[in-house]
């Protein structure tokens, strides 16, 4: 097949922008961890080599720090944020409403900043700005009530020149398009480009009334890092006269919510390009009121980081009714292809399809085909006749399910899964089987399957993209019901949909084929899978059935010594692998699961540390059992 006549990628670039092709990807290259993705391009690849394949088994816990404040008696809270490490100080977003600065070598607290009363901090981390124009180095982060806060990195005091005594109210009239009381938050760390703080948005999901998608705008915006003043806005849902407006049915862009970056953006610092992975529109399971492909939903969009001007886009899912989003950090890498070095962007999402594009032009480096997909039986739903599939690489996770390939193994659970399907008369299928009308459908990978917001890592020496994937699916169906105003609406709801995964919820045992969790390496030069390894084990099974893999959240990091570190799985393990082969080299069982991506850095004593936030399960339903930051290092000599 060839590209569809309605292209999923489009370019609008000036000659000056194209001239930037001569540049190379920006990489921090240091021994700190100053950005959530280690470098602005999100490779999550550290140049440190002290911990090696030969000595990783010598790692021991160097220190730990409990996040729970003294006197707190409530339930332990999850933490998914990636710490930052700058000049031997670790900055951690605590789920208890604090930013805490720790000595990265000893774990001793240096200071803590308490958010204003009733504010909750962004779940997915902070940004570090090195300062400039008389302003000090700063930690900048968002809150769950729509504030952007800047504090001094040295002592945690608010930067008085930033907004109103260190705080900017992001709930401005132009994004609060349906009124000031709508849900609006900043769920992930901003990205820094020069003296700009670039933010995504959290605008809620699901139905919003008789017209299911009304709510705050998901626009991306940039703010002055010193003053907090708004510099530019990128409209995630195009307005009249803007590119992409014609991909929405008449009137369906008005007050449309969703289409927001709730995950991680990356920046090509030398070219001045920001890469924005946008989510699905609201309502994210029912699209009867938004016919068309719906740009820039579930798309990767490149824009001029200085001005917010559109450069190109690539839509991963047309007319998304699966909540697939594209929240994984786009990984910027210079790769070898056909004997040339090509500036690339590697990105995937919940559908576990890895697209490899030229990051300057947006054109696929490996061919992409528009393939026919099943159509919806929901009244009024107009799903796209085709969806884009890369010819290479192959899907990173499972994407087909039938009655014949349900879980096979431990007899009691095998029988449970068969009854789950039969008793609920579920329809099982392959990629892009739409949510059924009054019937449960299961279409792998699903909203918690594939690769979620944690994304993957890239080893530039080996040319390998490494990521962990979930094979944890989700039943969905659409029903009619009256809303609060008495209007009859379509909604994805039920005892299984949206709440319960395709599993035994009481035991956290998925019903799809094993492995339920996997570590995958892709050779980006050839587009081939280099290796696959089962990731995780089910401790509750008898020994002969435990090698199942486990689902979870949190991603991988890589080191120049050829190591891959990953927690993520809900079996409480933290592991190290040989990046080249996928062989497991080290494993430790912790008090809880590692839900956040780890970090590695050099301490003041010269040792290389690897640190994790160990707080237990959340996304997949596990119970939180711990609240520590734990750092590992080789023993002192």
């Amino acid at each position: 097949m060839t590209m569809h006549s309605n292209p999923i990628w489009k370019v609008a670039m000036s000659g000056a922008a194209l001239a930037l092709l001569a540049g190379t990807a920006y990489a921090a290259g240091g021994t700190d961890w100053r950005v959530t993705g280690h470098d602005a391009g999100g490779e999550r690849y550290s140049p440190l080599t002290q911990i090696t394949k030969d000595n990783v088994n010598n790692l021991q816990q160097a220190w730990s720090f409990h996040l729970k404040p003294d006197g707190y008696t409530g339930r332990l809270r999850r933490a998914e944020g990636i710490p930052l490490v700058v000049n031997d100080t670790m900055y951690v977003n605590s789920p208890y409403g604090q930013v805490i600065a720790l000595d990265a070598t000893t774990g001793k607290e240096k200071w803590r900043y308490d958010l204003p009363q009733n504010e909750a901090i962004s779940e997915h981390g902070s940004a570090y700005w090195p300062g400039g124009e008389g302003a000090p180095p700063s930690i900048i982060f968002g809150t769950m009530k729509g504030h952007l806060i800047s504090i001094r990195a040295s002592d945690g005091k608010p930067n008085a020149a930033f907004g109103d005594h260190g705080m900017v109210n992001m709930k401005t009239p132009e994004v609060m398009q349906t009124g000031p009381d709508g849900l609006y938050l900043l769920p992930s760390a901003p990205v820094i480009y020069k003296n700009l703080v670039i933010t995504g948005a959290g605008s809620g999901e699901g139905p919003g009334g008789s017209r299911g998608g009304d709510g705050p705008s998901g626009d991306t915006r940039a703010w002055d890092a010193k003053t907090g003043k708004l510099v530019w806005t990128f409209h995630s849902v195009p307005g009249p006269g803007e590119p992409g407006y014609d991909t929405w049915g008449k009137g369906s862009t008005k007050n449309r919510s969703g289409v927001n970056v709730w995950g991680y953006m990356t920046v090509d610092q030398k070219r001045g390009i920001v890469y924005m992975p946008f989510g699905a529109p609201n309502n994210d399971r029912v699209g009867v009121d938004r016919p068309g492909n719906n740009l820039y939903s579930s798309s990767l969009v490149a824009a001029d980081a200085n001005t917010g001007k559109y450069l190109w886009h690539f839509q991963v899912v047309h007319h998304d009714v699966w909540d697939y989003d594209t929240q994984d950090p786009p990984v910027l890498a210079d790769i070898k292809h056909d004997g040339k070095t090509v500036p690339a962007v590697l990105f995937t999402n919940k559908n576990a399809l890895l697209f490899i594009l030229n990051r300057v032009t947006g054109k696929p480096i490996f061919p992409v085909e528009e393939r026919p997909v099943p159509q919806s039986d929901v009244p009024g739903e107009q799903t796209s006749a085709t969806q884009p599939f890369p010819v290479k690489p192959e899907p990173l996770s499972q994407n087909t399910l039938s009655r014949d390939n349900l879980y096979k193994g431990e007899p009691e659970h095998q029988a449970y899964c068969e009854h789950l399907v039969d008793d609920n008369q579920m329809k099982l299928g392959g990629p892009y089987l739409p949510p059924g009308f009054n019937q449960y459908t299961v279409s792998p990978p699903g909203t918690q399957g594939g690769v979620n917001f944690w994304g993957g890592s890239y080893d530039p020496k080996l040319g390998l993209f490494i990521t962990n994937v979930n094979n944890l699916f989700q039943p969905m169906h659409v029903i009619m019901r009256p809303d609060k105003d008495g209007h009859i609406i379509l909604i994805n709801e039920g005892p299984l949909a949206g709440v319960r995964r395709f599993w035994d919820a009481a035991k956290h045992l998925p019903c799809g084929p094993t492995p339920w969790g996997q570590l995958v390496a892709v050779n980006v030069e050839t587009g081939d899978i280099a290796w696959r390894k089962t990731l995780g084990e089910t401790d509750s099974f008898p020994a002969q059935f435990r090698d199942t893999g486990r689902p979870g959240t949190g991603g991988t990091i890589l080191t120049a010594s050829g190591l891959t570190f990953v927690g993520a799985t809900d079996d409480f393990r933290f592991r190290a692998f040989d990046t080249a082969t996928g062989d497991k080299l080290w494993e430790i069982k912790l008090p809880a699961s590692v839900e956040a991506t780890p970090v590695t850095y050099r301490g003041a004593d010269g040792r290389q540390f690897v640190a994790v936030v160990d707080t237990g399960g959340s996304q997949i339903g596990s119970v939180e059992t711990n609240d520590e930051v734990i750092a590992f290092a080789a023993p002192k000599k």
Side-chain angles (χ1 to χ4, degrees), residues 35 448 510 532 593 621:
V35 185
Q448 193 57 35
R532 293 180 182 270
S593 296

Side-chain angles (χ1 to χ4, degrees), residues 207-505:
S210 59
R211 213 189 79 130
D214 289 359
S217 164
D219 291 350
T220 297
R221 292 182 286 177
W223 316 78
D224 185 288
K226 181 179 180 181
T227 66
K229 291 182 178 179
L230 182 64
V231 176
W232 58 253
T233 297
F234 179 88
H235 294 149
S236 62
V237 176
E242 294 182 323
Y245 178 70
D246 59 353
T247 64
W248 296 80
K250 184 177 181 181
S252 64
T253 61
K254 181 177 171 59
N255 294 338
R256 178 64 56 182
S257 193
V259 194
N260 55 306
V261 178
W262 61 262
Y264 297 101
M265 291 179 276
T266 53
V267 180
D268 187 325
Q269 295 277 7
K270 290 190 175 181
R271 292 178 172 84
I273 302 175
V274 60
Y275 298 89
M276 303 175 287
F278 283 107
N282 286 354
N283 184 341
D284 56 11
R285 311 290 176 84
V286 179
V288 296
D289 67 336
R290 50 175 174 89
N293 280 356
N294 305 148
L295 291 175
Y296 295 102
S297 72
S298 299
S299 301
L300 179 65
V301 179
D304 186 318
N306 295 285
T307 64
K309 181 182 178 181
Y310 165 87
L311 298 177
W312 57 260
H313 76 269
F314 184 102
Q315 188 170 49
V316 178
V317 183
H318 308 319
H319 190 83
D320 192 346
V321 293
W322 299 268
D323 187 27
Y324 270 154
D325 298 333
T326 36
Q327 297 307 313
D328 297 19
V331 178
L332 310 187
D334 294 339
I335 71 172
K336 296 293 179 67
H337 185 73
D338 290 341
K340 299 178 181 178
T341 299
V342 181
V345 55
L346 322 172
F347 69 105
T348 183
N349 69 335
K350 299 174 190 176
N351 67 11
L353 301 177
L354 177 62
F355 294 92
I356 304 177
L357 311 181
N358 183 305
R359 70 174 179 269
V360 178
T361 67
K363 294 182 179 181
I365 293 174
F366 292 95
V368 174
E369 299 176 342
E370 287 283 340
R371 297 175 185 169
V373 292
Q375 295 301 288
S376 175
D377 62 355
V378 172
E381 189 69 84
Q382 301 176 44
T383 47
S384 175
T386 63
Q387 294 290 349
F389 291 81
V391 173
K392 280 189 169 186
E394 65 184 50
L396 303 186
S397 70
Q398 300 165 7
N399 69 352
T400 58
L401 183 67
S402 71
R403 183 62 172 70
D404 295 332
N405 76 337
L406 299 178
Y407 169 76
K408 302 290 190 298
E410 197 279 326
E412 182 179 343
H413 183 55
Q414 181 174 323
Y416 173 91
C417 294
E418 292 167 354
H419 282 293
L420 178 67
V421 172
D422 296 341
D423 294 350
N424 291 283
Q425 298 183 335
M426 291 181 175
K427 182 178 180 180
L428 312 180
Y432 296 108
L433 175 67
F437 183 54
N438 293 324
Q439 180 186 19
Y440 289 109
T441 60
V442 184
S443 175
T447 63
Q448 193 57 35
V451 187
N452 212 300
F453 64 88
W454 55 83
S457 309
Y458 179 68
D459 186 317
K461 289 199 300 185
L462 298 174
L464 294 179
F465 175 83
I466 311 291
T467 190
N468 49 303
V469 301
N470 282 343
N471 290 310
L472 175 61
F473 315 142
Q474 184 158 340
M476 296 191 291
H477 75 166
V478 175
I479 61 173
M480 287 186 177
R481 77 163 195 193
D483 70 359
K484 61 182 180 180
D485 300 317
H487 301 98
I488 301 299
I489 62 172
L490 291 159
I491 183 171
N492 181 268
E493 187 181 72
L496 294 175
V499 177
R500 187 176 177 187
R501 312 296 181 187
F502 186 58
W503 67 350
D504 181 338

